[in-house]
């Protein structure tokens, strides 16, 4: 098991939507059967290893737990096997490194209709909607309010439309250059395309043409006009892991149990792990696609050829997420961005985007700043030594708030591509997502492989469980 990569630094050293996973109270009990909500113990293990389970779920992330919860609620005897010493996968709430819980993986609830709101509302979990979102093209350009039409304006004037259609295979950057829209004239909403995906010299032109047409169409709208639609991303106050706790409650979960071989035939699976072997009538595999693509599990007989080919077409997006903790709010009193800020992005910087990971947390006097980049820009940061990555993140915070002497008190970063139980943060724009979930002989079912947020992961687990129940 990889240990958490982090840097904790004292005061004296140098130091528009997001995605992002869980771990609670599991370290040190990797070989035990964990019944969520109780203290980890070996109670209930004896005599259970050789039983025939109705279903085994491999993976205790949001998708695996969603599947297991659905099966257990349907009265099935279900066992969850998890290679890590915690549940949650790429949902990982770190409660020890900083003054408040921080998210090393998934961070936001995307949209007011996400299926996880049923748990959030039932459990009375506090959230904050990201609302103060600001951006600028470069440090020498003004901050613009992402909720107003000024963020859709061309700084040097809108080009005359209509613009020519993209050429076959033309990239977004090549098309923008061809039609005369250069980076110093990007609306900040256009610049934001690169923040959560690949860079414009990689993305197809079709990814930006509608946005550019919209910006030209609306060029005469007064810049201070508010958009009718507001941002709809929400942070969970006090730790995202609160969402998975009720899903996991009462489920038999074996942590530290790494699956290496799966033997299967219709109506029977034998799962061989680092902690022994288990048998069941059916199986739900709820692992990241990158793990399956890498061949970390041997299937006997082998998976169908079309599925093996499909797994090789899964591509993960490089993601950099640096987390800096300051002992005080970083925005000075006379700054154009309000002190209760949620997002600040300087698109010329790397990493470009900063968001506030602590605003709305009761009783906390410091501030958590999350520094974010994706695609090639993220990979360039990940290729640096950890200290240099954090220095780059701090440099952007200093420029953003106009405080060259600003220092953090704690900092950390994590490279999900180096995590052997993830092999990447989430699928990128060119990753295959369809045709990968066909059951094998109504015995092996699939969940989570190419999902990129918590609610879609959980939903995929529920769908796999329902398909299993229908087959049975």
């Amino acid at each position: 098991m990889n240990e958490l990569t982090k840097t904790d630094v004292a005061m004296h050293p140098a130091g528009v939507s997001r995605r992002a996973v869980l771990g609670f109270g599991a370290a040190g009990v990797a070989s035990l059967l964990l019944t969520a909500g109780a203290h980890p113990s070996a109670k209930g293990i004896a005599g259970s290893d050789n039983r025939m389970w109705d279903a085994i779920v491999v993976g205790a992330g949001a998708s695996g737990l969603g599947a297991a919860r659905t099966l257990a609620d349907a009265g099935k005897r279900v066992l969850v096997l998890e290679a890590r010493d915690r549940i949650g996968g790429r949902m990982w709430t770190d409660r020890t490194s900083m003054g408040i819980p921080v998210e090393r993986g998934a961070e936001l609830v995307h949209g007011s209709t996400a299926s996880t709101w049923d748990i959030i509302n039932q459990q009375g979990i506090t959230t904050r909607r990201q609302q103060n979102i600001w951006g600028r093209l470069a440090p020498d350009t003004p901050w613009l309010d992402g909720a107003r039409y000024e963020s859709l304006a061309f700084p040097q004037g809108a080009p005359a439309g209509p613009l020519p259609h993209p050429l076959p295979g033309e990239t977004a950057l090549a098309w923008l250059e061809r039609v005369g829209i250069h980076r110093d004239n990007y609306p900040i909403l256009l610049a934001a395309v690169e923040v959560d995906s690949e860079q414009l010299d990689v993305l197809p032109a079709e990814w930006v043409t509608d946005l550019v047409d919209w910006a030209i169409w609306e060029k005469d709208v007064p810049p201070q006009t508010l958009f009718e639609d507001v941002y709809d991303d929400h942070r969970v106050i006090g730790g995202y892991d609160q969402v998975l706790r009720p899903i996991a409650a009462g489920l038999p979960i074996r942590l530290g149990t790494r699956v290496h071989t799966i033997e299967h035939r219709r109506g029977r699976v034998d799962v061989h792990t680092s902690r022994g072997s288990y048998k069941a009538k059916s199986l739900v595999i709820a692992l990241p696609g990158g793990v399956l693509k890498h061949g970390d599990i041997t299937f006997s007989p082998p998976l169908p050829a079309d599925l093996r080919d499909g797994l090789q077409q899964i591509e993960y997006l490089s993601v950099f997420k640096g987390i800096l903790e300051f002992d005080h709010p970083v925005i000075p009193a006379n700054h154009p961005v309000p002190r209760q800020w949620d997002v600040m992005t300087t698109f010329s910087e790397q990493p470009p985007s900063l968001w506030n990971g602590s605003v709305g947390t009761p009783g906390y006097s410091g501030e958590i700043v999350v520094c974010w980049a994706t695609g090639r820009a993220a990979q360039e940061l990940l290729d640096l030594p950890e200290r240099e990555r954090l220095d780059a993140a701090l440099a952007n915070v200093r420029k953003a708030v106009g405080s060259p002497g600003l220092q953090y008190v704690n900092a950390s970063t994590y490279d999900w591509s180096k995590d052997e139980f993830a092999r990447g943060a989430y699928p990128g724009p060119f990753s295959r997502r369809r045709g990968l979930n066909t059951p094998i002989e109504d015995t092996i079912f699939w969940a989570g492989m190419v999902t990129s947020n918590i609610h879609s992961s959980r939903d995929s687990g529920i769908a796999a469980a329902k398909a299993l129940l229908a087959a049975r």
Side-chain angles (χ1 to χ4, degrees):
M1 172 65 73
N2 290 345
E3 293 296 323
L4 171 66
T5 301
K6 71 177 183 179
T7 302
D8 294 317
V9 186
M11 282 295 292
H12 55 279
V16 232
S17 65
R18 307 290 172 274
R19 298 178 172 84
V21 261
L22 142 73
F24 59 88
V29 293
S31 64
L32 301 183
L33 177 67
L34 172 62
T35 299
H39 294 292
S41 73
K43 184 177 180 181
I45 295 179
S48 66
D49 286 358
N50 295 322
R51 80 188 309 178
M52 173 65 76
W53 297 89
D54 291 323
I56 290 174
V57 176
V58 179
S63 57
L65 293 176
R69 177 82 275 149
T70 302
L71 294 170
D73 288 350
K76 299 301 180 182
R77 295 181 302 175
V78 57
L79 174 67
V80 181
L81 303 177
E82 169 56 48
R84 301 182 189 275
D85 61 358
R86 60 176 178 83
I87 70 169
R90 286 167 291 178
M91 180 195 215
W92 181 5
T93 301
D94 176 3
R95 295 181 172 274
T96 62
S97 296
M98 300 192 182
I100 60 171
V102 295
E103 308 297 343
R104 300 198 168 279
E107 183 138 0
L108 300 176
V109 182
H110 296 289
S112 298
T113 60
S115 59
T116 42
W117 284 104
D118 60 352
I119 297 172
I120 292 169
N121 293 329
Q122 289 165 10
Q123 299 293 312
I125 298 170
T126 303
T127 62
R128 175 184 169 86
R129 188 175 197 157
Q130 289 190 329
Q131 50 196 334
N132 289 322
I133 299 178
W134 297 76
R136 60 181 181 176
L137 291 181
D140 59 351
T141 61
W143 287 104
L144 302 176
D145 186 345
R148 300 179 185 275
Y149 271 83
E150 64 183 16
S151 66
L152 192 62
F154 293 89
Q156 300 173 4
L163 299 178
H165 293 294
L167 301 173
E170 192 169 25
T171 68
L173 180 62
W175 179 78
L176 289 166
E177 293 288 339
R178 182 163 64 88
V179 300
I181 303 174
H182 305 293
R183 284 195 179 272
D184 55 1
N185 196 30
Y186 284 5
I188 64 168
L189 289 187
L190 172 60
V193 171
E194 294 184 307
V195 171
D196 270 340
S197 190
E198 268 291 359
Q199 274 58 67
L200 295 179
D201 60 346
V202 175
L203 290 175
E206 289 77 10
W207 278 57
V208 302
T209 52
D210 286 348
L211 192 156
V212 170
D213 287 343
W214 177 39
I216 294 173
W217 180 262
E218 304 281 19
K219 60 182 173 52
D220 295 325
V221 175
Q224 293 303 303
T225 304
L226 287 167
F227 289 121
E228 292 183 8
D229 297 325
V230 295
Y231 292 99
D232 203 15
D233 287 337
H234 306 251
R235 283 183 42 254
V236 178
I237 305 299
Y240 211 161
D241 58 2
Q242 299 171 88
V243 171
L244 286 195
R245 288 176 177 174
I247 304 176
L251 294 175
I253 303 172
R254 281 195 181 278
L255 301 173
T257 305
R258 181 171 184 164
V259 174
H260 57 76
T261 304
I262 294 173
E263 296 180 278
H264 61 98
R265 61 182 186 270
R266 182 177 291 275
R268 170 70 181 261
V269 292
D270 291 273
V271 182
H272 305 291
T273 81
S274 58
R275 300 286 179 177
S277 298
Y278 306 87
K279 56 189 177 183
K281 298 174 184 177
S282 54
L283 181 71
V284 177
I285 298 179
L287 297 175
V291 172
L292 296 167
K293 176 180 179 177
H294 194 260
D296 293 337
I297 297 177
T298 299
F299 291 85
S300 179
L303 297 176
D306 59 341
L307 178 54
R308 296 199 306 270
D309 292 344
L311 292 175
Q312 295 307 309
Q313 296 172 35
I314 296 173
E315 298 181 10
Y316 274 64
L317 183 68
S318 295
V319 171
F320 169 79
K321 184 177 187 180
I323 307 172
L324 309 182
E325 181 177 27
F326 300 89
D327 64 1
H328 63 280
V330 298
I331 297 287
N334 59 348
H335 199 279
V337 174
R339 300 197 84 184
Q340 295 291 305
W341 65 283
D342 291 289
V343 180
M344 290 188 293
T345 303
T346 304
F347 294 102
S348 65
E349 298 298 302
Q350 294 300 341
S353 194
L354 312 174
W355 74 85
N356 194 330
S358 56
V359 62
T361 303
Y364 179 63
S365 59
E367 194 153 82
I368 302 292
V369 178
V370 179
C371 310
W372 178 264
T374 58
R376 184 191 65 252
Q379 190 58 53
E380 290 173 355
L381 288 166
L382 294 173
D383 288 341
L384 297 173
E386 185 181 75
R387 169 64 67 174
E388 293 183 28
R389 296 180 222 162
L390 295 173
D391 286 347
L394 178 60
N396 188 8
V397 180
R398 287 172 167 174
K399 291 178 183 178
V401 303
S403 179
L406 186 67
Q407 300 284 356
Y408 54 67
V409 294
N410 292 300
S412 67
T413 179
Y414 192 75
D415 186 350
W416 286 98
S417 70
K418 300 293 177 58
D419 185 318
E420 63 180 329
F421 302 127
R423 303 210 181 269
Y426 52 82
F430 308 116
S431 181
R432 176 168 172 174
R433 287 175 169 79
R434 298 183 180 276
L436 300 173
N437 292 83
T438 302
I440 298 176
E441 295 190 300
D442 285 337
T443 300
I444 297 181
F445 299 82
W446 308 89
M449 287 187 289
V450 286
T451 52
S452 58
N453 56 55
I454 296 303
H455 71 263
S456 64
S457 296
R458 179 197 178 203
D459 291 348
S460 75
I462 293 171
K466 289 182 175 179
L468 186 157
L469 293 169
R472 293 291 158 207

